[in-house]
Amino acid sequence: MERRKERNGSVQVAGQESGSGAQGLLLRREMGLWSAVSLVAGCMIGSGIFMSPQGVLVYTGSPGASLVIWALCGLLVMLGALCYAELSALVPESGGEYVYILRTFGSLPAFLDVYIFVLVGRPASMAAISLGFAEYALAPFYSGCPSVPQAVVKSVAVSCILLLMLVNFWSSRLATMLTNVCTAAKVFSLLVIVVGGVVVLVQGHARTEFLLSAFHNTTQHAGHIGMAFYQGLWSFEGWNSINYMLEELRNPKQNLVCALMIAIPLVTSLYVLVNISYLLVLSSSEILSSDAVAVSWGNQVLGSWAWMVPLAVALSTFGSVNGIFFSGSRVCYVAAREGHLPGFLSMVHVRRLTPAPALMFTMAVALVLVIPGNFSILVNLMSFLSWITYGTTFSCLLYMRIKLKNLPRTYKVPTFIPVIMLLASLCLVLVPIIDNPQMEFLYVFLFLLSGFLVYFLFIYFQCQPRCLQMATLHLQLLLEVAPTTKNR
């Protein structure tokens, strides 16, 4: 394939022109409605429902309050998704929060968002869930041991991320198919837990005593309630994944809203029913003392078939990492296209038409976070970062309502919904900091401050090393990637 060098140091495929009116390489619109439903549900159903039920129970203090928290988390996510649907109608581009903030508040806030997202947010999610995958995948092989060696867990987590990078690099369609298969397996595994709870209840072996004192010992502590929401909302992370790749969705004006309206209520219902099943089979003390609630449930209900639970959970978490990888790399790709990251990361493979550099960069950051990774720390850090970003995004919608109220909208939510979501975001960010300050929050604040320095140094004043163009040229030739244009 013939190539030529351009003045910016990149290589353009012959027969294609760069620029705003270009006919360059495009990411294909290969995602239909049910693939979008599968992506949203698949990104949400990961390790959280299997690993963090006890986290919600610890902070709420009672089974009844924990179920209420799970339901409220689903409601919050649904309201947030409706706000995002209106934003996608106003700004029909890939990139999610990043592009909404960019078009509303400008370059600096958008850069801070992508600085958090690309360097910590999405890679932290991938690292945490891949660690969960490793623990469940190895559980059958270490059944007689008190714990799995951390070196082995992290090696398997690294292998998971590397394999999924290859899948996403090879074909977006293959990655979508993998997401669909894994999502079907996830829903099936959750249905098995729900049906198992019903069978135990019908047979009269269920622990129904929690119904008599469902709200006994419920916490009144605002900080504990906020942390319970953190733990529960972690299981819903990924509800906004489809917004990150809007340019690859067929008929996005219709399919986006439909996908959200199907996937989120489905997942919320399953989560509440699964937690009820846990409480029918396991006592509160057993749930609190278990590191793998789903496995403990399987040992009591499935008997000799209990090995199927860690297998199903491993497949579930594997698919969730794939979905996050698939959607998260698009933010890196869009930010580079807008000039907030090196332009090399906005290129796609000339034959595979996948954002190979963005995928590799996302993989590299996730691998770094796996090495010192601790699941509970990553959960709290990721939730804190997410709700800072979500709150800023909801304020974008309110700003557009005031400043651009005459702008035509194909979809619109009542104004009280983004107001509620903005207030909820502020509470979820501020209450844990005020009530129970932790070092993780200080690290996030310092990291945000470093983003200002990076922005003014490399974006505003454009202080870039001279070797960057030459490195871009060589990497572009090595990986066979070329610049792209937007899908319209």
Side-chain angles (χ1 to χ4, degrees):
M1 182 176 293
E2 185 182 354
R3 303 176 180 86
R4 64 173 180 268
K5 183 178 177 183
E6 292 195 329
R7 282 179 294 179
N8 63 0
S10 67
V11 172
Q12 186 73 24
V13 179
Q16 296 169 342
E17 301 297 333
S18 62
S20 59
Q23 297 247 337
L25 296 176
L26 296 172
L27 295 177
R28 297 185 180 120
R29 288 191 183 271
E30 294 185 329
M31 184 172 294
L33 172 60
W34 293 108
S35 292
V37 172
S38 178
L39 176 68
V40 175
C43 286
M44 285 195 289
I45 305 173
S47 57
I49 187 61
F50 305 104
M51 299 182 72
S52 66
Q54 66 267 46
V56 177
L57 189 58
V58 164
Y59 288 112
T60 56
S62 67
S66 70
L67 293 176
V68 171
I69 291 294
W70 282 104
L72 289 177
C73 286
L75 178 61
L76 275 177
V77 165
M78 188 70 251
L79 295 178
L82 293 176
C83 295
Y84 273 51
E86 181 176 342
L87 283 167
S88 70
L90 293 169
V91 187
E93 302 176 39
S94 295
E97 296 92 359
Y98 164 73
V99 75
Y100 304 146
I101 295 171
L102 177 65
R103 303 301 178 222
T104 306
F105 297 133
S107 182
L108 176 57
F111 175 80
L112 293 176
D113 170 72
V114 80
Y115 186 69
I116 294 172
F117 187 98
V118 172
L119 295 182
V120 177
R122 267 318 201 217
S125 286
M126 290 175 56
I129 299 175
S130 64
L131 289 169
F133 160 78
E135 289 179 4
Y136 275 95
L138 294 168
F141 303 101
Y142 289 85
S143 56
C145 301
S147 63
V148 182
Q150 282 301 299
V152 179
V153 170
K154 291 178 180 180
S155 297
V156 173
V158 167
S159 301
C160 167
I161 294 172
L162 290 173
L163 176 60
L164 289 175
M165 194 282 296
L166 292 175
V167 170
N168 281 269
F169 170 82
W170 189 258
S171 168
S172 294
R173 179 172 294 180
L174 180 61
T176 301
M177 290 173 59
L178 178 61
T179 298
N180 294 343
V181 171
C182 290
T183 299
K186 296 175 191 193
V187 173
F188 177 76
S189 64
L190 292 179
L191 287 174
V192 167
I193 296 176
V194 172
V195 173
V198 172
V199 171
V200 170
L201 180 63
V202 171
Q203 291 177 342
H205 302 312
R207 296 176 180 268
T208 56
E209 60 270 14
F210 82 90
L211 296 173
L212 302 176
S213 56
F215 292 92
H216 182 63
N217 289 331
T218 299
T219 184
Q220 305 295 322
H221 208 271
H224 289 175
I225 294 173
M227 294 306 295
F229 270 104
Y230 268 5
Q231 293 290 330
L233 287 166
W234 163 254
S235 298
F236 288 88
E237 277 296 325
W239 56 270
N240 52 349
S241 295
I242 194 65
N243 294 79
Y244 299 135
M245 44 196 316
L246 200 65
E247 295 171 26
E248 297 172 70
L249 178 65
R250 300 191 198 116
N251 191 12
K253 292 181 180 179
Q254 177 181 340
N255 286 342
L256 176 67
V257 178
C258 291
L260 295 173
M261 295 297 289
I262 294 171
I264 296 175
L266 171 66
V267 173
T268 302
S269 302
L270 286 173
Y271 280 3
V272 173
L273 293 173
V274 165
N275 276 279
I276 293 173
S277 181
Y278 287 154
L279 291 167
L280 289 173
V281 174
L282 303 170
S283 66
S284 296
S285 59
E286 287 175 323
I287 292 175
L288 293 174
S289 62
S290 175
D291 291 328
V293 178
V295 173
S296 300
W297 180 94
N299 290 335
Q300 294 202 26
V301 176
L302 300 180
S304 60
W305 292 91
W307 58 270
M308 294 181 62
V309 175
L311 177 64
V313 177
L315 184 60
S316 172
T317 49
F318 184 78
S320 188
V321 176
N322 178 62
I324 294 172
F325 207 164
F326 189 40
S327 59
S329 61
R330 269 54 179 181
V331 180
C332 180
Y333 161 80
V334 173
R337 191 174 65 187
E338 297 291 340
H340 283 153
L341 290 174
F344 172 69
L345 298 177
S346 69
M347 298 181 186
V348 301
H349 196 272
V350 294
R351 292 192 304 274
R352 300 294 171 191
L353 295 182
T354 55
L359 289 166
M360 293 180 179
F361 182 80
T362 304
M363 173 202 70
V365 179
L367 292 179
V368 170
L369 291 176
V370 163
I371 296 170
N374 175 278
F375 185 81
S376 60
I377 292 176
L378 286 176
V379 167
N380 293 335
L381 180 61
M382 182 58 200
S383 298
F384 181 75
L385 289 171
S386 295
W387 285 97
I388 292 176
T389 301
Y390 297 157
T392 307
T393 306
F394 297 134
S395 67
C396 290
L397 183 54
L398 292 172
Y399 180 86
M400 289 183 179
R401 287 287 180 87
I402 297 170
K403 295 294 185 180
L404 304 172
K405 55 184 177 182
N406 295 324
L407 195 68
R409 290 167 167 83
T410 57
Y411 175 80
K412 186 176 181 180
V413 296
T415 304
F416 74 87
I417 292 181
V419 171
I420 290 174
M421 292 308 301
L422 179 58
L423 293 175
S425 301
L426 290 173
C427 289
L428 287 168
V429 170
L430 295 177
V431 169
I433 296 176
I434 296 171
D435 189 75
N436 185 26
Q438 298 181 29
M439 288 301 296
E440 289 94 333
F441 301 139
L442 177 60
Y443 297 152
V444 171
F445 179 71
L446 293 175
F447 186 73
L448 272 174
L449 287 181
S450 71
F452 284 90
L453 177 63
V454 173
Y455 174 81
F456 283 105
L457 186 61
F458 294 106
I459 307 299
Y460 188 80
F461 294 110
Q462 296 185 345
C463 298
Q464 299 179 3
R466 295 181 179 179
C467 62
L468 184 61
Q469 289 188 359
M470 187 60 64
T472 298
L473 172 62
H474 288 293
L475 287 172
Q476 190 179 350
L477 293 172
L478 176 65
L479 298 177
E480 296 187 311
V481 294
T484 62
T485 58
K486 294 180 183 179
N487 269 333
R488 298 293 183 183

